[in-house]
C-alpha cells in the first residue's frame, strides 16, 4: 500500500486551497469588455546599463599594515618631542619647567602615556632637575643637544615652509584659513611656531593676518608653477608630448598620464572587480585641486575623483606624507570636501592608508613610502630623524646617553645605528606586512571598520 510522504500536505488543506483559487476573480480576456493591457516596461539602454554596472563602487575592508603603523608610532614620538622642544625653548633660558604644568599637553601631543613618563624616557633631550623651591617637584630643562637640534630644525624649516603654506591656501575656496585650523598642521607642514607673525613681515605682499585668519594676497612673489599639482608635475613630460605608447597603456596603469599610483594591500590588486572599477575611475577626467570646482555636481563621480586628487595633494604637501583625520576635518568646508570624507580613504585603499594607531586616526599616502622610508625625503624630515636618533640614545643608555651621542657639523651621526636598534624596513619588507586580509564586498556607503586591537607602545 502506497503511503504519502511525511512532508505531503493534508487532503483538507488542498481542498480549501482549490476552492480559494476557483473563487478568485480572473482578469478579463482580450476579447472581453473591461480589458486593460499591462503597462509596458521601459527598455533599458545597454550602454547605460553597462556603464552603471562598471561604476559600482567596491569598498575593500580595512587591512592592517604593520610597517606603516610602525612609522606612525615613530612619527608620533618625534612629533611630541619637537612640540615639547618648541614649547620649552620659548621660556626663559634659566627657568625650570615643572612637569605638572606640562600635564595638560598630553592630549594635544597625541601621547597615551603621561608627559612626565615621556620626559623621563628621553633624558638626552630633557634634563630633570629638582625645583629650587620645592625639591620633590620634578622639573625639566633642555639639554645641550636639544639646543643644537632646535637651531638645525629652524634652518631646515625656513627653506620652503612659506611655499607649503601658500599651496595649502591655494587649495581653499577663499584663499584663507582660520589660524585655529592651521595650528594642528604646524608640525605636518613644518611651520615655525611664530608663522602667523613671521610670514606677513617677511612676505608682506603675499600673506596677511586679520581677524584670526591668514590669507594669501598674491602668488606673484612665489615660484612659477606653484598652482600645479604633484600628479601633474610628475607626468609633465607625458602631458606635453603624449606618444602612441602612452596612449595605448591602460588608464589604470601607474605609468599612464595623470593616473594615481595604486598600491593595493596584498590580495586585492588582482581582483577583477577592483581592476574594472579602477580602470573606469582613471577614465574620468582629472581636475586639478587648484582649479575652481564650483560648477561640478557634488554627487557626481567626477567630483569624487576631484576630492581624491585634493586629498592626494594635501598629503603630498606634508613633510612625512601623513596627517591626522581631525586636522583635515577642520579644513573640510574650506576645501569643499563632503561631510563624511573618511569614506574616500576606505574606498581607495590603493592611494591612502587609514591607521588607528596611538588612539587616533591617521591617513598616510601610500606612494610616499617605499620599504619603510620616504621616497622624497625633505631636509626637515632628515633632521627629525636626528631627533629620533637622540631619543633612542637616551632610551638605550639612560644617564650616559649624552656621552654616547656623537653628531657632526651636518647633524648626521657618525656611528650609524645604535647598538640594539634594528632598522625597520616597513611596507614591502616581509610577506606579513599586510595582515588580516579580509574579503571584498560591494556596499553603498559604509564608514571605516573599527580596529579593536591597539598595540601597546611606550610613547604613544
Amino acid at each position: 500500500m502506497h503511503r504519502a510522504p511525511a512532508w505531503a500536505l493534508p487532503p483538507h488543506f488542498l481542498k480549501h486551497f482549490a476552492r480559494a483559487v476557483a473563487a478568485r476573480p480572473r482578469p478579463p480576456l482580450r476579447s472581453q469588455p473591461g480589458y486593460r493591457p499591462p503597462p509596458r516596461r521601459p527598455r533599458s539602454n545597454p550602454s547605460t546599463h553597462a556603464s552603471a554596472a562598471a561604476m559600482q563602487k567596491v569598498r575593500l575592508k580595512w587591512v592592517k599594515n604593520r610597517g606603516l603603523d610602525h612609522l606612525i608610532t615613530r612619527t608620533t614620538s618625534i612629533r611630541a618631542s619637537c612640540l615639547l622642544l618648541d614649547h620649552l625653548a620659548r621660556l626663559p633660558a634659566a627657568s625650570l619647567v615643572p612637569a605638572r604644568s606640562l600635564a595638560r599637553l598630553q592630549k594635544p601631543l597625541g601621547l597615551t602615556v603621561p608627559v612626565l613618563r615621556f620626559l623621563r624616557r628621553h633624558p638626552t633631550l630633557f634634563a630633570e632637575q629638582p625645583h629650587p623651591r620645592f625639591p620633590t617637584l620634578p622639573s625639566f630643562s633642555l639639554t645641550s643637544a636639544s639646543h643644537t637640534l632646535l637651531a638645525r630644525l629652524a634652518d631646515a624649516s625656513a627653506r620652503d615652509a612659506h611655499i607649503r603654506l601658500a599651496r595649502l591656501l591655494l587649495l581653499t575656496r577663499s584663499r584663507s584659513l582660520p589660524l585655529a585650523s592651521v595650528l594642528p598642521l604646524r608640525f605636518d607642514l613644518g611651520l615655525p611656531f611664530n608663522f602667523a607673525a613671521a610670514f606677513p613681515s617677511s612676505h608682506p605682499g603675499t600673506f596677511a593676518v586679520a581677524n584670526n585668519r591668514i590669507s594669501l594676497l598674491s602668488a606673484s612673489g612665489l615660484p612659477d608653477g606653484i598652482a600645479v599639482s604633484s600628479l601633474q608635475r610628475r607626468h609633465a613630460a607625458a602631458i606635453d608630448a603624449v606618444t602612441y605608447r602612452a596612449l595605448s597603456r591602460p588608464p589604470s596603469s601607474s605609468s599612464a598620464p595623470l593616473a594615481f599610483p595604486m598600491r593595493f594591500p596584498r590580495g586585492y590588486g588582482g581582483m577583477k572587480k577592483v581592476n574594472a572599477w579602477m580602470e573606469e575611475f582613471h577614465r574620468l577626467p582629472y581636475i586639478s585641486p587648484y582649479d575652481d570646482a564650483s560648477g561640478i555636481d557634488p554627487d557626481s563621480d567626477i567630483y569624487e575623483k576631484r576630492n581624491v586628487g585634493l586629498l592626494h595633494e594635501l598629503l603630498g604637501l606634508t613633510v612625512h606624507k601623513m596627517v591626522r583625520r581631525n586636522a583635515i576635518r577642520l579644513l573640510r568646508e574650506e576645501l569643499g570636501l563632503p561631510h563624511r570624507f573618511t569614506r574616500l580613504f576606505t574606498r581607495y585603499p590603493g592611494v591612502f592608508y587609514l591607521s588607528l594607531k596611538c588612539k587616533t586616526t591617521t591617513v598616510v599616502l601610500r606612494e610616499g613610502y617605499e620599504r619603510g622610508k620616504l621616497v622624497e625625503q625633505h631636509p626637515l624630515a632628515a633632521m627629525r630623524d636626528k631627533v629620533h636618533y637622540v631619543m633612542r640614545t637616551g632610551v638605550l643608555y639612560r644617564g650616559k646617553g649624552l656621552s654616547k651621542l656623537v653628531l657632526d657639523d651636518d647633524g648626521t651621526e657618525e656611528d650609524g645605528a645604535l647598538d640594539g636598534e634594528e632598522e625597520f624596513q616597513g611596507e614591502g619588507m616581509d610577506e606579513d606586512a599586510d595582515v588580516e586580509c579580509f574579503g571584498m564586498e560591494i556596499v553603498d556607503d559604509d564608514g571605516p571598520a573599527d580596529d579593536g586591537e591597539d598595540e601597546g607602545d611606550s610613547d604613544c
Side-chain angles (χ1 to χ4, degrees), residues 310-327:
L310 190 146
L311 294 172
H312 179 274
E313 183 69 15
L314 177 62
L315 289 173
L317 293 179
T318 59
V319 177
H320 296 279
K321 311 305 177 186
M322 64 178 66
V323 68
R324 298 187 177 186
R325 184 184 59 176
N326 293 336

Side-chain angles (χ1 to χ4, degrees), residues 6 14 17 47 132 144 166 183 200 244 267 271 284 288 303 312 322 343 353 365 399 410 431 460:
L14 296 176
F17 180 75
S47 60
S144 58
L183 286 177
Y244 175 78
M271 290 186 177
L284 297 174
S288 175
Y303 196 82
H312 179 274
M322 64 178 66
R343 297 177 179 178
Y353 173 67
L365 190 63
D410 297 333
E431 297 180 355
C460 76

Side-chain angles (χ1 to χ4, degrees), residues 426-460:
E427 183 178 11
M429 183 189 68
D430 54 357
E431 297 180 355
D432 295 331
D434 292 319
V435 298
E436 295 183 356
C437 188
F438 295 101
M440 178 186 63
E441 61 179 6
I442 301 176
V443 296
D444 293 331
D445 280 317
D446 282 337
D450 294 331
D451 185 26
E453 299 180 357
D454 187 13
E455 299 179 5
D457 191 85
S458 58
D459 292 344
C460 76

Side-chain angles (χ1 to χ4, degrees), residues 131-369:
H131 197 272
R133 295 184 57 185
F134 309 99
T136 57
L137 182 64
S139 302
F140 294 87
S141 61
L142 297 181
T143 61
S144 58
S146 299
H147 290 288
T148 304
L149 290 174
L150 282 172
R152 295 174 181 176
L153 286 172
D155 294 340
S157 175
R159 298 182 181 183
D160 57 350
H162 66 287
I163 298 179
R164 289 193 296 271
L165 179 60
R167 284 179 174 169
L168 175 63
L169 296 176
L170 285 174
L171 292 176
T172 60
R173 296 175 176 178
S174 59
R175 291 192 174 186
S176 64
L177 282 173
L179 292 176
S181 300
V182 184
L183 286 177
L185 293 171
R186 189 171 66 85
F187 174 81
D188 301 320
L189 298 177
L191 303 178
F193 68 91
N194 60 342
F195 72 94
F199 286 174
S201 60
S202 59
H203 307 279
T206 306
F207 299 98
V209 177
N211 298 328
N212 292 329
R213 295 180 67 93
I214 185 167
S215 305
L216 182 66
L217 301 179
S218 175
S220 58
L222 300 174
D224 297 336
I226 190 175
V228 180
S229 65
S230 60
L231 200 62
Q232 291 174 330
R233 292 194 302 269
R234 179 182 305 172
H235 300 286
I239 295 174
D240 296 338
V242 180
T243 61
Y244 175 78
R245 178 175 296 181
L247 293 175
S248 61
R249 295 191 185 103
S252 58
S253 175
S254 59
S255 58
L258 295 181
F260 291 97
M262 294 288 178
R263 296 184 180 181
F264 285 101
R266 186 183 58 182
Y268 286 156
M271 290 186 177
K272 294 183 179 179
K273 291 184 178 181
V274 177
N275 292 333
W277 175 42
M278 285 294 101
E279 182 177 353
E280 191 67 21
F281 171 76
H282 283 298
R283 290 184 186 276
L284 297 174
Y286 174 79
I287 299 177
S288 175
Y290 298 102
D291 296 341
D292 185 16
S294 57
I296 305 177
D297 183 13
D299 298 331
S300 62
D301 296 328
I302 298 178
Y303 196 82
E304 180 175 328
K305 184 174 182 178
R306 177 257 176 191
N307 292 333
V308 173
L310 190 146
L311 294 172
H312 179 274
E313 183 69 15
L314 177 62
L315 289 173
L317 293 179
T318 59
V319 177
H320 296 279
K321 311 305 177 186
M322 64 178 66
V323 68
R324 298 187 177 186
R325 184 184 59 176
N326 293 336
I328 304 178
R329 182 179 286 113
L330 298 176
L331 309 174
R332 184 186 62 83
E333 295 183 0
E334 292 290 342
L335 297 178
L337 294 174
H339 181 69
R340 305 182 69 175
F341 63 90
T342 308
R343 297 177 179 178
L344 296 174
F345 304 134
T346 58
R347 194 172 292 167
Y348 299 92
V351 183
F352 311 106
Y353 173 67
L354 199 66
S355 176
L356 303 176
K357 286 292 291 184
C358 299
K359 294 186 179 180
T360 185
T361 306
T362 308
V363 186
V364 184
L365 190 63
R366 282 185 178 269
E367 64 179 90
Y369 287 91

Side-chain angles (χ1 to χ4, degrees), residues 88 91 94-102 115-116 119-120 122-123 125-143:
L88 296 178
L91 300 177
S95 63
L96 296 176
V97 182
R100 183 176 55 186
S101 63
L102 301 175
V115 180
L116 178 59
L119 295 173
R120 287 177 172 173
H122 305 100
L125 291 177
F126 312 101
E128 183 176 2
Q129 300 176 5
H131 197 272
R133 295 184 57 185
F134 309 99
T136 57
L137 182 64
S139 302
F140 294 87
S141 61
L142 297 181
T143 61

